[in-house]
Amino acid sequence: MIEHPANTISTLFSNEVKNRPFLIAGPCGAESKEQIMSSALFLKSQGVSLLRAGVWKARSRPNSFEGHGIEALGWLNEMRSEINMPFAVEVAKAEHVDEVLKQECDVIWIGARTSVNPFLIQEIADALNGVKIPVLIKNPVNPDLDLWQGAIERIYKSRNKQVAAIHRGFSSYENKTYRNKPNWEIPIELKRRLPEIPLICDPSHITGKRSMVPFVSQIAMDLNFNGLMIEVHPQPDTALSDAKQQLSFDEFAQFRKQLIIRKLTTEDVFELSKLEDLRDQIDEIDQEVINTLAKRMKVARAIGSYKVKNNITIYQPQRWKEIMETRTRLGMEQQLSKEFLEKLYSIIHTESIEQQSSVMSSSPKNIEANTSENQKA
Ligand code: PEP
Ligand code: MN
């Protein structure tokens, strides 16, 4: 029984937010024909538009499950003939592109270990030249927005205009909460730079644990992402890859019921005026923030002149330690987080140092010293 009607793939590329979320789901890897069939039957009934399943798995360590390759493409093809659900697989090189085109795969995605390498991306872009197949491009493993944008541009230039981006988080050595840190500012900036490219969130690879998948999906929806790609498996605990992050069918059904899709705006004029009022307050406060920062930098430049006159170094570790301690304490008393305050003050401090050094390097005393050094040389 179809409980939720699915969007067609073209609704994703028409970029209509009213059809959100465009749902892609399925196992991390295609493990057997039965697994593909049961997943597709269930996910279609849940309004999922596209079945995902990796057939070539790039693994960190050897001797792990590396996918069933062409045989698995055959299972997916049979699934589509029987169940009429489109499917997507990951490609990591030109050879994969040739294979998926033979099987008339509906959509392909490029993984994080591939988008990190412009040579591989170019190879895939060349293999796709002139071919009209939708391509979803995951962010590279490291938090490098230009690299992600570059991968999108290379594929887009191969005359393949149906391109979307998938945010799957960024690797970091010591993060315990997430498998891959979301760094939400990066996909938000990508959307600002490339507004016509639909944005999909992959909460499974961001969180690495199934209990957090609904939470991260909700954030993505509240940030106006167009869709979600979620790993779902008939028996997640025995999955051959990414067992901890895949949802069971029951968990997926529960998650679908709980996901809230908020509107972009409200039509209620009274409510809208309240929002406008709050935005006016933010505009005024930002004006004050900028004036205050400018005043602070002016004082920093005065300190720079003082230091050059008295021949002392710019960086004073004791003073910096004291600033960090007192400011984080002050801020925390007013409900600001320690992490935010530390980041904020380290940016302010770096800028102060730069402003001080520009005063010092342009001071007449320094110019004199440099000139006499040059004359000696
Ligand atoms: C995947 O989607 O199964 C996968 C390997 O993801 P990523 O490239 O994001 O690690
Ligand atoms: Mn996976």
Side-chain angles (χ1 to χ4, degrees), residues 145 148 167 170 182-195 199 219 222-225:
L145 175 58
W148 193 8
H167 170 230
F170 303 91
N183 293 349
W184 294 104
E185 67 283 5
I186 297 182
I188 288 171
E189 174 60 12
L190 181 80
K191 191 73 186 167
R192 194 191 63 77
R193 291 189 193 178
L194 304 174
L199 195 52
I219 297 180
D222 292 341
L223 291 173
N224 293 324
F225 275 60

mmCIF file with all atom_site columns, all heavy atoms in Angstrom, residues 145 148 167 170 182-195 199 219 222-225:
data_model
loop_
_atom_site.group_PDB
_atom_site.id
_atom_site.type_symbol
_atom_site.label_atom_id
_atom_site.label_alt_id
_atom_site.label_comp_id
_atom_site.label_asym_id
_atom_site.label_entity_id
_atom_site.label_seq_id
_atom_site.pdbx_PDB_ins_code
_atom_site.Cartn_x
_atom_site.Cartn_y
_atom_site.Cartn_z
_atom_site.occupancy
_atom_site.B_iso_or_equiv
_atom_site.pdbx_formal_charge
_atom_site.auth_seq_id
_atom_site.auth_comp_id
_atom_site.auth_asym_id
_atom_site.auth_atom_id
_atom_site.pdbx_PDB_model_num
ATOM 1   N N   . LEU A 1 145 ? 35.442 24.291 0.886  1.00 0.00 ? 145 LEU A N   1
ATOM 2   C CA  . LEU A 1 145 ? 34.290 24.671 0.062  1.00 0.00 ? 145 LEU A CA  1
ATOM 3   C C   . LEU A 1 145 ? 34.663 24.819 -1.420 1.00 0.00 ? 145 LEU A C   1
ATOM 4   O O   . LEU A 1 145 ? 33.909 24.414 -2.297 1.00 0.00 ? 145 LEU A O   1
ATOM 5   C CB  . LEU A 1 145 ? 33.683 25.973 0.611  1.00 0.00 ? 145 LEU A CB  1
ATOM 6   C CG  . LEU A 1 145 ? 32.547 26.574 -0.205 1.00 0.00 ? 145 LEU A CG  1
ATOM 7   C CD1 . LEU A 1 145 ? 31.392 25.610 -0.379 1.00 0.00 ? 145 LEU A CD1 1
ATOM 8   C CD2 . LEU A 1 145 ? 32.051 27.861 0.451  1.00 0.00 ? 145 LEU A CD2 1
ATOM 9   N N   . TRP A 1 148 ? 34.705 21.503 -3.173 1.00 0.00 ? 148 TRP A N   1
ATOM 10  C CA  . TRP A 1 148 ? 33.333 21.006 -3.407 1.00 0.00 ? 148 TRP A CA  1
ATOM 11  C C   . TRP A 1 148 ? 32.710 21.739 -4.600 1.00 0.00 ? 148 TRP A C   1
ATOM 12  O O   . TRP A 1 148 ? 32.196 21.141 -5.535 1.00 0.00 ? 148 TRP A O   1
ATOM 13  C CB  . TRP A 1 148 ? 32.509 21.219 -2.132 1.00 0.00 ? 148 TRP A CB  1
ATOM 14  C CG  . TRP A 1 148 ? 31.180 20.512 -2.072 1.00 0.00 ? 148 TRP A CG  1
ATOM 15  C CD1 . TRP A 1 148 ? 30.685 19.593 -2.952 1.00 0.00 ? 148 TRP A CD1 1
ATOM 16  C CD2 . TRP A 1 148 ? 30.194 20.673 -1.049 1.00 0.00 ? 148 TRP A CD2 1
ATOM 17  N NE1 . TRP A 1 148 ? 29.445 19.173 -2.533 1.00 0.00 ? 148 TRP A NE1 1
ATOM 18  C CE2 . TRP A 1 148 ? 29.120 19.817 -1.381 1.00 0.00 ? 148 TRP A CE2 1
ATOM 19  C CE3 . TRP A 1 148 ? 30.107 21.463 0.111  1.00 0.00 ? 148 TRP A CE3 1
ATOM 20  C CZ2 . TRP A 1 148 ? 27.969 19.727 -0.587 1.00 0.00 ? 148 TRP A CZ2 1
ATOM 21  C CZ3 . TRP A 1 148 ? 28.972 21.371 0.907  1.00 0.00 ? 148 TRP A CZ3 1
ATOM 22  C CH2 . TRP A 1 148 ? 27.909 20.517 0.558  1.00 0.00 ? 148 TRP A CH2 1
ATOM 23  N N   . HIS A 1 167 ? 25.434 17.137 1.339  1.00 0.00 ? 167 HIS A N   1
ATOM 24  C CA  . HIS A 1 167 ? 26.263 17.490 2.495  1.00 0.00 ? 167 HIS A CA  1
ATOM 25  C C   . HIS A 1 167 ? 26.341 16.270 3.400  1.00 0.00 ? 167 HIS A C   1
ATOM 26  O O   . HIS A 1 167 ? 25.319 15.840 3.943  1.00 0.00 ? 167 HIS A O   1
ATOM 27  C CB  . HIS A 1 167 ? 25.586 18.681 3.201  1.00 0.00 ? 167 HIS A CB  1
ATOM 28  C CG  . HIS A 1 167 ? 26.175 19.007 4.523  1.00 0.00 ? 167 HIS A CG  1
ATOM 29  N ND1 . HIS A 1 167 ? 25.400 19.167 5.648  1.00 0.00 ? 167 HIS A ND1 1
ATOM 30  C CD2 . HIS A 1 167 ? 27.446 19.202 4.908  1.00 0.00 ? 167 HIS A CD2 1
ATOM 31  C CE1 . HIS A 1 167 ? 26.185 19.448 6.666  1.00 0.00 ? 167 HIS A CE1 1
ATOM 32  N NE2 . HIS A 1 167 ? 27.424 19.480 6.252  1.00 0.00 ? 167 HIS A NE2 1
ATOM 33  N N   . PHE A 1 170 ? 32.158 16.659 7.552  1.00 0.00 ? 170 PHE A N   1
ATOM 34  C CA  . PHE A 1 170 ? 33.589 16.746 7.278  1.00 0.00 ? 170 PHE A CA  1
ATOM 35  C C   . PHE A 1 170 ? 34.377 16.006 8.341  1.00 0.00 ? 170 PHE A C   1
ATOM 36  O O   . PHE A 1 170 ? 34.091 16.119 9.535  1.00 0.00 ? 170 PHE A O   1
ATOM 37  C CB  . PHE A 1 170 ? 34.005 18.223 7.233  1.00 0.00 ? 170 PHE A CB  1
ATOM 38  C CG  . PHE A 1 170 ? 33.215 19.001 6.214  1.00 0.00 ? 170 PHE A CG  1
ATOM 39  C CD1 . PHE A 1 170 ? 32.023 19.642 6.564  1.00 0.00 ? 170 PHE A CD1 1
ATOM 40  C CD2 . PHE A 1 170 ? 33.619 19.043 4.888  1.00 0.00 ? 170 PHE A CD2 1
ATOM 41  C CE1 . PHE A 1 170 ? 31.267 20.325 5.620  1.00 0.00 ? 170 PHE A CE1 1
ATOM 42  C CE2 . PHE A 1 170 ? 32.872 19.721 3.933  1.00 0.00 ? 170 PHE A CE2 1
ATOM 43  C CZ  . PHE A 1 170 ? 31.699 20.363 4.302  1.00 0.00 ? 170 PHE A CZ  1
ATOM 44  N N   . PRO A 1 182 ? 29.197 18.490 10.997 1.00 0.00 ? 182 PRO A N   1
ATOM 45  C CA  . PRO A 1 182 ? 28.366 19.127 9.961  1.00 0.00 ? 182 PRO A CA  1
ATOM 46  C C   . PRO A 1 182 ? 28.890 20.487 9.454  1.00 0.00 ? 182 PRO A C   1
ATOM 47  O O   . PRO A 1 182 ? 28.635 20.829 8.305  1.00 0.00 ? 182 PRO A O   1
ATOM 48  C CB  . PRO A 1 182 ? 27.006 19.284 10.626 1.00 0.00 ? 182 PRO A CB  1
ATOM 49  C CG  . PRO A 1 182 ? 27.194 19.007 12.073 1.00 0.00 ? 182 PRO A CG  1
ATOM 50  C CD  . PRO A 1 182 ? 28.478 18.269 12.255 1.00 0.00 ? 182 PRO A CD  1
ATOM 51  N N   . ASN A 1 183 ? 29.565 21.266 10.239 1.00 0.00 ? 183 ASN A N   1
ATOM 52  C CA  . ASN A 1 183 ? 30.021 22.609 9.782  1.00 0.00 ? 183 ASN A CA  1
ATOM 53  C C   . ASN A 1 183 ? 28.968 23.240 8.876  1.00 0.00 ? 183 ASN A C   1
ATOM 54  O O   . ASN A 1 183 ? 29.214 23.503 7.685  1.00 0.00 ? 183 ASN A O   1
ATOM 55  C CB  . ASN A 1 183 ? 31.338 22.518 8.999  1.00 0.00 ? 183 ASN A CB  1
ATOM 56  C CG  . ASN A 1 183 ? 32.507 22.088 9.842  1.00 0.00 ? 183 ASN A CG  1
ATOM 57  O OD1 . ASN A 1 183 ? 32.409 22.043 11.072 1.00 0.00 ? 183 ASN A OD1 1
ATOM 58  N ND2 . ASN A 1 183 ? 33.617 21.740 9.230  1.00 0.00 ? 183 ASN A ND2 1
ATOM 59  N N   . TRP A 1 184 ? 27.795 23.505 9.425  1.00 0.00 ? 184 TRP A N   1
ATOM 60  C CA  . TRP A 1 184 ? 26.647 23.949 8.607  1.00 0.00 ? 184 TRP A CA  1
ATOM 61  C C   . TRP A 1 184 ? 26.944 25.189 7.778  1.00 0.00 ? 184 TRP A C   1
ATOM 62  O O   . TRP A 1 184 ? 26.332 25.430 6.740  1.00 0.00 ? 184 TRP A O   1
ATOM 63  C CB  . TRP A 1 184 ? 25.427 24.210 9.505  1.00 0.00 ? 184 TRP A CB  1
ATOM 64  C CG  . TRP A 1 184 ? 24.899 22.973 10.167 1.00 0.00 ? 184 TRP A CG  1
ATOM 65  C CD1 . TRP A 1 184 ? 25.060 22.605 11.476 1.00 0.00 ? 184 TRP A CD1 1
ATOM 66  C CD2 . TRP A 1 184 ? 24.114 21.918 9.567  1.00 0.00 ? 184 TRP A CD2 1
ATOM 67  N NE1 . TRP A 1 184 ? 24.440 21.390 11.710 1.00 0.00 ? 184 TRP A NE1 1
ATOM 68  C CE2 . TRP A 1 184 ? 23.848 20.952 10.568 1.00 0.00 ? 184 TRP A CE2 1
ATOM 69  C CE3 . TRP A 1 184 ? 23.627 21.700 8.279  1.00 0.00 ? 184 TRP A CE3 1
ATOM 70  C CZ2 . TRP A 1 184 ? 23.113 19.797 10.334 1.00 0.00 ? 184 TRP A CZ2 1
ATOM 71  C CZ3 . TRP A 1 184 ? 22.893 20.547 8.042  1.00 0.00 ? 184 TRP A CZ3 1
ATOM 72  C CH2 . TRP A 1 184 ? 22.642 19.605 9.058  1.00 0.00 ? 184 TRP A CH2 1
ATOM 73  N N   . GLU A 1 185 ? 27.914 26.015 8.255  1.00 0.00 ? 185 GLU A N   1
ATOM 74  C CA  . GLU A 1 185 ? 28.185 27.246 7.508  1.00 0.00 ? 185 GLU A CA  1
ATOM 75  C C   . GLU A 1 185 ? 28.687 26.941 6.090  1.00 0.00 ? 185 GLU A C   1
ATOM 76  O O   . GLU A 1 185 ? 28.521 27.755 5.176  1.00 0.00 ? 185 GLU A O   1
ATOM 77  C CB  . GLU A 1 185 ? 29.159 28.158 8.276  1.00 0.00 ? 185 GLU A CB  1
ATOM 78  C CG  . GLU A 1 185 ? 30.591 27.672 8.455  1.00 0.00 ? 185 GLU A CG  1
ATOM 79  C CD  . GLU A 1 185 ? 30.777 26.598 9.535  1.00 0.00 ? 185 GLU A CD  1
ATOM 80  O OE1 . GLU A 1 185 ? 29.780 26.122 10.110 1.00 0.00 ? 185 GLU A OE1 1
ATOM 81  O OE2 . GLU A 1 185 ? 31.938 26.209 9.776  1.00 0.00 ? 185 GLU A OE2 1
ATOM 82  N N   . ILE A 1 186 ? 29.293 25.759 5.896  1.00 0.00 ? 186 ILE A N   1
ATOM 83  C CA  . ILE A 1 186 ? 29.844 25.442 4.558  1.00 0.00 ? 186 ILE A CA  1
ATOM 84  C C   . ILE A 1 186 ? 28.720 25.175 3.544  1.00 0.00 ? 186 ILE A C   1
ATOM 85  O O   . ILE A 1 186 ? 28.676 25.821 2.497  1.00 0.00 ? 186 ILE A O   1
ATOM 86  C CB  . ILE A 1 186 ? 30.882 24.295 4.646  1.00 0.00 ? 186 ILE A CB  1
ATOM 87  C CG1 . ILE A 1 186 ? 32.056 24.772 5.502  1.00 0.00 ? 186 ILE A CG1 1
ATOM 88  C CG2 . ILE A 1 186 ? 31.349 23.881 3.248  1.00 0.00 ? 186 ILE A CG2 1
ATOM 89  C CD1 . ILE A 1 186 ? 33.188 23.789 5.648  1.00 0.00 ? 186 ILE A CD1 1
ATOM 90  N N   . PRO A 1 187 ? 27.772 24.248 3.819  1.00 0.00 ? 187 PRO A N   1
ATOM 91  C CA  . PRO A 1 187 ? 26.684 24.107 2.828  1.00 0.00 ? 187 PRO A CA  1
ATOM 92  C C   . PRO A 1 187 ? 25.850 25.373 2.673  1.00 0.00 ? 187 PRO A C   1
ATOM 93  O O   . PRO A 1 187 ? 25.362 25.654 1.569  1.00 0.00 ? 187 PRO A O   1
ATOM 94  C CB  . PRO A 1 187 ? 25.840 22.950 3.387  1.00 0.00 ? 187 PRO A CB  1
ATOM 95  C CG  . PRO A 1 187 ? 26.246 22.797 4.808  1.00 0.00 ? 187 PRO A CG  1
ATOM 96  C CD  . PRO A 1 187 ? 27.676 23.236 4.889  1.00 0.00 ? 187 PRO A CD  1
ATOM 97  N N   . ILE A 1 188 ? 25.719 26.160 3.741  1.00 0.00 ? 188 ILE A N   1
ATOM 98  C CA  . ILE A 1 188 ? 24.940 27.407 3.625  1.00 0.00 ? 188 ILE A CA  1
ATOM 99  C C   . ILE A 1 188 ? 25.649 28.364 2.654  1.00 0.00 ? 188 ILE A C   1
ATOM 100 O O   . ILE A 1 188 ? 25.028 28.990 1.795  1.00 0.00 ? 188 ILE A O   1
ATOM 101 C CB  . ILE A 1 188 ? 24.740 28.059 5.016  1.00 0.00 ? 188 ILE A CB  1
ATOM 102 C CG1 . ILE A 1 188 ? 23.745 27.217 5.820  1.00 0.00 ? 188 ILE A CG1 1
ATOM 103 C CG2 . ILE A 1 188 ? 24.251 29.505 4.906  1.00 0.00 ? 188 ILE A CG2 1
ATOM 104 C CD1 . ILE A 1 188 ? 23.609 27.601 7.278  1.00 0.00 ? 188 ILE A CD1 1
ATOM 105 N N   . GLU A 1 189 ? 26.983 28.432 2.773  1.00 0.00 ? 189 GLU A N   1
ATOM 106 C CA  . GLU A 1 189 ? 27.739 29.306 1.860  1.00 0.00 ? 189 GLU A CA  1
ATOM 107 C C   . GLU A 1 189 ? 27.691 28.753 0.426  1.00 0.00 ? 189 GLU A C   1
ATOM 108 O O   . GLU A 1 189 ? 27.601 29.517 -0.540 1.00 0.00 ? 189 GLU A O   1
ATOM 109 C CB  . GLU A 1 189 ? 29.185 29.461 2.370  1.00 0.00 ? 189 GLU A CB  1
ATOM 110 C CG  . GLU A 1 189 ? 30.148 30.211 1.463  1.00 0.00 ? 189 GLU A CG  1
ATOM 111 C CD  . GLU A 1 189 ? 29.757 31.666 1.141  1.00 0.00 ? 189 GLU A CD  1
ATOM 112 O OE1 . GLU A 1 189 ? 28.840 32.212 1.782  1.00 0.00 ? 189 GLU A OE1 1
ATOM 113 O OE2 . GLU A 1 189 ? 30.370 32.242 0.201  1.00 0.00 ? 189 GLU A OE2 1
ATOM 114 N N   . LEU A 1 190 ? 27.695 27.419 0.292  1.00 0.00 ? 190 LEU A N   1
ATOM 115 C CA  . LEU A 1 190 ? 27.587 26.829 -1.053 1.00 0.00 ? 190 LEU A CA  1
ATOM 116 C C   . LEU A 1 190 ? 26.264 27.253 -1.696 1.00 0.00 ? 190 LEU A C   1
ATOM 117 O O   . LEU A 1 190 ? 26.204 27.627 -2.863 1.00 0.00 ? 190 LEU A O   1
ATOM 118 C CB  . LEU A 1 190 ? 27.662 25.290 -0.980 1.00 0.00 ? 190 LEU A CB  1
ATOM 119 C CG  . LEU A 1 190 ? 27.583 24.605 -2.343 1.00 0.00 ? 190 LEU A CG  1
ATOM 120 C CD1 . LEU A 1 190 ? 28.942 24.653 -3.062 1.00 0.00 ? 190 LEU A CD1 1
ATOM 121 C CD2 . LEU A 1 190 ? 27.127 23.160 -2.234 1.00 0.00 ? 190 LEU A CD2 1
ATOM 122 N N   . LYS A 1 191 ? 25.190 27.225 -0.895 1.00 0.00 ? 191 LYS A N   1
ATOM 123 C CA  . LYS A 1 191 ? 23.866 27.598 -1.403 1.00 0.00 ? 191 LYS A CA  1
ATOM 124 C C   . LYS A 1 191 ? 23.848 29.073 -1.807 1.00 0.00 ? 191 LYS A C   1
ATOM 125 O O   . LYS A 1 191 ? 23.187 29.461 -2.763 1.00 0.00 ? 191 LYS A O   1
ATOM 126 C CB  . LYS A 1 191 ? 22.816 27.312 -0.317 1.00 0.00 ? 191 LYS A CB  1
ATOM 127 C CG  . LYS A 1 191 ? 21.396 27.397 -0.775 1.00 0.00 ? 191 LYS A CG  1
ATOM 128 C CD  . LYS A 1 191 ? 21.000 26.206 -1.647 1.00 0.00 ? 191 LYS A CD  1
ATOM 129 C CE  . LYS A 1 191 ? 19.622 26.346 -2.222 1.00 0.00 ? 191 LYS A CE  1
ATOM 130 N NZ  . LYS A 1 191 ? 19.363 25.374 -3.288 1.00 0.00 ? 191 LYS A NZ  1
ATOM 131 N N   . ARG A 1 192 ? 24.603 29.897 -1.045 1.00 0.00 ? 192 ARG A N   1
ATOM 132 C CA  . ARG A 1 192 ? 24.644 31.327 -1.399 1.00 0.00 ? 192 ARG A CA  1
ATOM 133 C C   . ARG A 1 192 ? 25.382 31.503 -2.731 1.00 0.00 ? 192 ARG A C   1
ATOM 134 O O   . ARG A 1 192 ? 24.972 32.262 -3.588 1.00 0.00 ? 192 ARG A O   1
ATOM 135 C CB  . ARG A 1 192 ? 25.366 32.105 -0.285 1.00 0.00 ? 192 ARG A CB  1
ATOM 136 C CG  . ARG A 1 192 ? 25.162 33.615 -0.377 1.00 0.00 ? 192 ARG A CG  1
ATOM 137 C CD  . ARG A 1 192 ? 26.074 34.375 0.561  1.00 0.00 ? 192 ARG A CD  1
ATOM 138 N NE  . ARG A 1 192 ? 27.491 34.198 0.251  1.00 0.00 ? 192 ARG A NE  1
ATOM 139 C CZ  . ARG A 1 192 ? 28.137 34.802 -0.741 1.00 0.00 ? 192 ARG A CZ  1
ATOM 140 N NH1 . ARG A 1 192 ? 27.508 35.649 -1.511 1.00 0.00 ? 192 ARG A NH1 1
ATOM 141 N NH2 . ARG A 1 192 ? 29.427 34.570 -0.943 1.00 0.00 ? 192 ARG A NH2 1
ATOM 142 N N   . ARG A 1 193 ? 26.480 30.731 -2.895 1.00 0.00 ? 193 ARG A N   1
ATOM 143 C CA  . ARG A 1 193 ? 27.254 30.860 -4.134 1.00 0.00 ? 193 ARG A CA  1
ATOM 144 C C   . ARG A 1 193 ? 26.540 30.240 -5.334 1.00 0.00 ? 193 ARG A C   1
ATOM 145 O O   . ARG A 1 193 ? 26.649 30.743 -6.444 1.00 0.00 ? 193 ARG A O   1
ATOM 146 C CB  . ARG A 1 193 ? 28.611 30.165 -3.983 1.00 0.00 ? 193 ARG A CB  1
ATOM 147 C CG  . ARG A 1 193 ? 29.540 30.860 -3.012 1.00 0.00 ? 193 ARG A CG  1
ATOM 148 C CD  . ARG A 1 193 ? 30.913 30.223 -3.127 1.00 0.00 ? 193 ARG A CD  1
ATOM 149 N NE  . ARG A 1 193 ? 31.792 30.621 -2.038 1.00 0.00 ? 193 ARG A NE  1
ATOM 150 C CZ  . ARG A 1 193 ? 33.027 30.163 -1.902 1.00 0.00 ? 193 ARG A CZ  1
ATOM 151 N NH1 . ARG A 1 193 ? 33.516 29.310 -2.778 1.00 0.00 ? 193 ARG A NH1 1
ATOM 152 N NH2 . ARG A 1 193 ? 33.774 30.557 -0.890 1.00 0.00 ? 193 ARG A NH2 1
ATOM 153 N N   . LEU A 1 194 ? 25.881 29.089 -5.110 1.00 0.00 ? 194 LEU A N   1
ATOM 154 C CA  . LEU A 1 194 ? 25.239 28.370 -6.224 1.00 0.00 ? 194 LEU A CA  1
ATOM 155 C C   . LEU A 1 194 ? 23.767 28.123 -5.889 1.00 0.00 ? 194 LEU A C   1
ATOM 156 O O   . LEU A 1 194 ? 23.362 26.992 -5.603 1.00 0.00 ? 194 LEU A O   1
ATOM 157 C CB  . LEU A 1 194 ? 25.938 27.015 -6.464 1.00 0.00 ? 194 LEU A CB  1
ATOM 158 C CG  . LEU A 1 194 ? 27.445 27.004 -6.724 1.00 0.00 ? 194 LEU A CG  1
ATOM 159 C CD1 . LEU A 1 194 ? 27.988 25.578 -6.788 1.00 0.00 ? 194 LEU A CD1 1
ATOM 160 C CD2 . LEU A 1 194 ? 27.770 27.729 -8.042 1.00 0.00 ? 194 LEU A CD2 1
ATOM 161 N N   . PRO A 1 195 ? 22.949 29.192 -5.894 1.00 0.00 ? 195 PRO A N   1
ATOM 162 C CA  . PRO A 1 195 ? 21.567 29.026 -5.418 1.00 0.00 ? 195 PRO A CA  1
ATOM 163 C C   . PRO A 1 195 ? 20.733 28.058 -6.252 1.00 0.00 ? 195 PRO A C   1
ATOM 164 O O   . PRO A 1 195 ? 19.774 27.486 -5.760 1.00 0.00 ? 195 PRO A O   1
ATOM 165 C CB  . PRO A 1 195 ? 20.986 30.448 -5.485 1.00 0.00 ? 195 PRO A CB  1
ATOM 166 C CG  . PRO A 1 195 ? 21.943 31.252 -6.283 1.00 0.00 ? 195 PRO A CG  1
ATOM 167 C CD  . PRO A 1 195 ? 23.269 30.565 -6.277 1.00 0.00 ? 195 PRO A CD  1
ATOM 168 N N   . LEU A 1 199 ? 20.198 21.178 -2.668 1.00 0.00 ? 199 LEU A N   1
ATOM 169 C CA  . LEU A 1 199 ? 21.072 20.731 -1.585 1.00 0.00 ? 199 LEU A CA  1
ATOM 170 C C   . LEU A 1 199 ? 20.379 19.626 -0.786 1.00 0.00 ? 199 LEU A C   1
ATOM 171 O O   . LEU A 1 199 ? 19.243 19.794 -0.332 1.00 0.00 ? 199 LEU A O   1
ATOM 172 C CB  . LEU A 1 199 ? 21.363 21.954 -0.708 1.00 0.00 ? 199 LEU A CB  1
ATOM 173 C CG  . LEU A 1 199 ? 22.496 21.908 0.278  1.00 0.00 ? 199 LEU A CG  1
ATOM 174 C CD1 . LEU A 1 199 ? 23.804 21.479 -0.369 1.00 0.00 ? 199 LEU A CD1 1
ATOM 175 C CD2 . LEU A 1 199 ? 22.669 23.294 0.922  1.00 0.00 ? 199 LEU A CD2 1
ATOM 176 N N   . ILE A 1 219 ? 17.402 19.484 11.592 1.00 0.00 ? 219 ILE A N   1
ATOM 177 C CA  . ILE A 1 219 ? 18.194 20.723 11.398 1.00 0.00 ? 219 ILE A CA  1
ATOM 178 C C   . ILE A 1 219 ? 18.257 21.036 9.899  1.00 0.00 ? 219 ILE A C   1
ATOM 179 O O   . ILE A 1 219 ? 18.047 22.165 9.475  1.00 0.00 ? 219 ILE A O   1
ATOM 180 C CB  . ILE A 1 219 ? 19.633 20.583 11.959 1.00 0.00 ? 219 ILE A CB  1
ATOM 181 C CG1 . ILE A 1 219 ? 19.591 20.350 13.471 1.00 0.00 ? 219 ILE A CG1 1
ATOM 182 C CG2 . ILE A 1 219 ? 20.476 21.817 11.628 1.00 0.00 ? 219 ILE A CG2 1
ATOM 183 C CD1 . ILE A 1 219 ? 20.957 20.200 14.115 1.00 0.00 ? 219 ILE A CD1 1
ATOM 184 N N   . ASP A 1 222 ? 15.117 22.510 8.699  1.00 0.00 ? 222 ASP A N   1
ATOM 185 C CA  . ASP A 1 222 ? 14.938 23.882 9.183  1.00 0.00 ? 222 ASP A CA  1
ATOM 186 C C   . ASP A 1 222 ? 15.891 24.856 8.496  1.00 0.00 ? 222 ASP A C   1
ATOM 187 O O   . ASP A 1 222 ? 15.686 26.065 8.532  1.00 0.00 ? 222 ASP A O   1
ATOM 188 C CB  . ASP A 1 222 ? 15.094 23.928 10.710 1.00 0.00 ? 222 ASP A CB  1
ATOM 189 C CG  . ASP A 1 222 ? 13.942 23.188 11.395 1.00 0.00 ? 222 ASP A CG  1
ATOM 190 O OD1 . ASP A 1 222 ? 12.900 22.976 10.730 1.00 0.00 ? 222 ASP A OD1 1
ATOM 191 O OD2 . ASP A 1 222 ? 14.079 22.809 12.565 1.00 0.00 ? 222 ASP A OD2 1
ATOM 192 N N   . LEU A 1 223 ? 16.945 24.333 7.882  1.00 0.00 ? 223 LEU A N   1
ATOM 193 C CA  . LEU A 1 223 ? 17.859 25.192 7.113  1.00 0.00 ? 223 LEU A CA  1
ATOM 194 C C   . LEU A 1 223 ? 17.483 25.204 5.627  1.00 0.00 ? 223 LEU A C   1
ATOM 195 O O   . LEU A 1 223 ? 18.276 25.625 4.783  1.00 0.00 ? 223 LEU A O   1
ATOM 196 C CB  . LEU A 1 223 ? 19.311 24.700 7.276  1.00 0.00 ? 223 LEU A CB  1
ATOM 197 C CG  . LEU A 1 223 ? 19.931 24.884 8.663  1.00 0.00 ? 223 LEU A CG  1
ATOM 198 C CD1 . LEU A 1 223 ? 21.298 24.209 8.739  1.00 0.00 ? 223 LEU A CD1 1
ATOM 199 C CD2 . LEU A 1 223 ? 20.072 26.365 9.005  1.00 0.00 ? 223 LEU A CD2 1
ATOM 200 N N   . ASN A 1 224 ? 16.291 24.692 5.315  1.00 0.00 ? 224 ASN A N   1
ATOM 201 C CA  . ASN A 1 224 ? 15.756 24.696 3.933  1.00 0.00 ? 224 ASN A CA  1
ATOM 202 C C   . ASN A 1 224 ? 16.508 23.819 2.939  1.00 0.00 ? 224 ASN A C   1
ATOM 203 O O   . ASN A 1 224 ? 16.539 24.127 1.748  1.00 0.00 ? 224 ASN A O   1
ATOM 204 C CB  . ASN A 1 224 ? 15.695 26.119 3.359  1.00 0.00 ? 224 ASN A CB  1
ATOM 205 C CG  . ASN A 1 224 ? 14.683 26.943 4.078  1.00 0.00 ? 224 ASN A CG  1
ATOM 206 O OD1 . ASN A 1 224 ? 13.644 26.423 4.479  1.00 0.00 ? 224 ASN A OD1 1
ATOM 207 N ND2 . ASN A 1 224 ? 14.990 28.210 4.278  1.00 0.00 ? 224 ASN A ND2 1
ATOM 208 N N   . PHE A 1 225 ? 17.125 22.755 3.414  1.00 0.00 ? 225 PHE A N   1
ATOM 209 C CA  . PHE A 1 225 ? 17.703 21.800 2.462  1.00 0.00 ? 225 PHE A CA  1
ATOM 210 C C   . PHE A 1 225 ? 16.556 21.234 1.616  1.00 0.00 ? 225 PHE A C   1
ATOM 211 O O   . PHE A 1 225 ? 15.429 21.101 2.098  1.00 0.00 ? 225 PHE A O   1
ATOM 212 C CB  . PHE A 1 225 ? 18.390 20.644 3.215  1.00 0.00 ? 225 PHE A CB  1
ATOM 213 C CG  . PHE A 1 225 ? 19.814 20.943 3.628  1.00 0.00 ? 225 PHE A CG  1
ATOM 214 C CD1 . PHE A 1 225 ? 20.114 22.001 4.465  1.00 0.00 ? 225 PHE A CD1 1
ATOM 215 C CD2 . PHE A 1 225 ? 20.855 20.137 3.179  1.00 0.00 ? 225 PHE A CD2 1
ATOM 216 C CE1 . PHE A 1 225 ? 21.421 22.271 4.842  1.00 0.00 ? 225 PHE A CE1 1
ATOM 217 C CE2 . PHE A 1 225 ? 22.170 20.389 3.548  1.00 0.00 ? 225 PHE A CE2 1
ATOM 218 C CZ  . PHE A 1 225 ? 22.454 21.457 4.384  1.00 0.00 ? 225 PHE A CZ  1
#
